[in-house]
Amino acid sequence: YPAEPYSGLRESLAAWLGTTPERIVPAHGIQALIATVVHAFLQPGDVVVQTTPTYGLYATTSAAAGATVVEVPHRDFRHDVDALATAAREHDARLVWLCDPNNPTGALVTREEWERLLSGVPDRCTVVVDEAYVEYVDPEVRLDRVRDVEAGLPVVVMRTFSKIFGLAGLRLGYAIVDEPLAAMIDVVLEPFNVNRAALAAGRASLE
């Protein structure tokens, strides 16, 4: 079995991202993180909001937990952040799922749009951002949401080693969250869910 705290990977990721290991939650891919976030946040009758089209697992996993999924149409194949925020307020949404860059359209959210979305969602709402393809974004326009997490904003960031590091077969992803939330997510995270080969490959990739 792997060492469940995954301390080595957490420390390597924290150094790479410029944050603390306590904010890192490893998992066997983003799909596992999606399910974990659903288990941590959602109860039957809750509402989640997302763009359409986007990655399909947000809706299916949320619906399986008994949540209602509200889909907001894209605007010129881009996230309509104002409509997402409005829908979140109207339905008192618990989560907003945001894939950025979006899958399958590749559209990006600008800093100004991102700030409008965060300021527009209701108090109890958390924005969960899937950044599976973020390393392919020009650094000059890439949003640094790690700093948003550190600032205590209601944000969960999910990333993967599958794309930029080519480790899809080993299943390795991680979330960046506020430290108290990381402790709560660990409670519902599947035990021993990251295999030793993935942990070793992840650390080697970062080095």
Side-chain angles (χ1 to χ4, degrees), residues 6-16 19-21 24 203 206:
Y6 313 130
S7 300
L9 181 66
R10 289 178 191 259
E11 291 167 2
S12 295
L13 276 166
W16 192 53
T19 190
T20 60
I24 307 297
R203 294 185 69 184
L206 294 172

Side-chain angles (χ1 to χ4, degrees), residues 6-114:
Y6 313 130
S7 300
L9 181 66
R10 289 178 191 259
E11 291 167 2
S12 295
L13 276 166
W16 192 53
L17 298 168
T19 190
T20 60
E22 292 77 15
R23 292 190 173 94
I24 307 297
V25 180
H28 60 99
I30 280 182
Q31 85 287 344
L33 290 167
I34 292 170
T36 299
V37 167
V38 164
H39 291 316
F41 280 88
L42 298 181
Q43 298 180 12
D46 282 340
V47 174
V48 303
V49 174
Q50 66 176 50
T51 297
T52 183
T54 196
Y55 184 47
L57 200 58
Y58 316 137
T60 55
T61 309
S62 299
T68 298
V69 180
V70 175
E71 296 189 320
V72 174
H74 66 83
R75 176 175 291 184
D76 297 327
F77 297 101
R78 301 185 71 251
H79 293 291
D80 188 339
V81 296
D82 297 314
L84 287 169
T86 297
R89 292 193 305 272
E90 289 179 349
H91 296 278
D92 193 24
R94 193 70 183 89
L95 297 177
V96 172
W97 295 103
L98 187 76
C99 190
D100 186 36
N102 191 31
N103 179 4
T105 65
L108 296 173
V109 172
T110 67
R111 167 54 67 178
E112 192 267 338
E113 290 173 330
W114 172 239

Side-chain angles (χ1 to χ4, degrees), residues 157-168:
V157 179
M158 302 184 300
R159 293 183 181 174
T160 180
F161 283 76
S162 293
K163 307 301 189 282
I164 193 68
F165 293 119
L167 300 184

Side-chain angles (χ1 to χ4, degrees), residues 27 29 36 47 53-54 67 87 101 103 122 137 142 145 175 179 190 193 198 202-204:
T36 299
V47 174
T54 196
N103 179 4
V137 178
R142 186 185 305 165
R145 293 188 173 100
E179 289 183 29
E190 178 188 353
N193 75 100
R203 294 185 69 184

Side-chain angles (χ1 to χ4, degrees), residues 101 108 133-144:
L108 296 173
Y133 295 91
V134 73
E135 288 90 358
Y136 295 102
V137 178
D138 185 337
E140 293 186 0
V141 298
R142 186 185 305 165
L143 302 187
D144 186 0

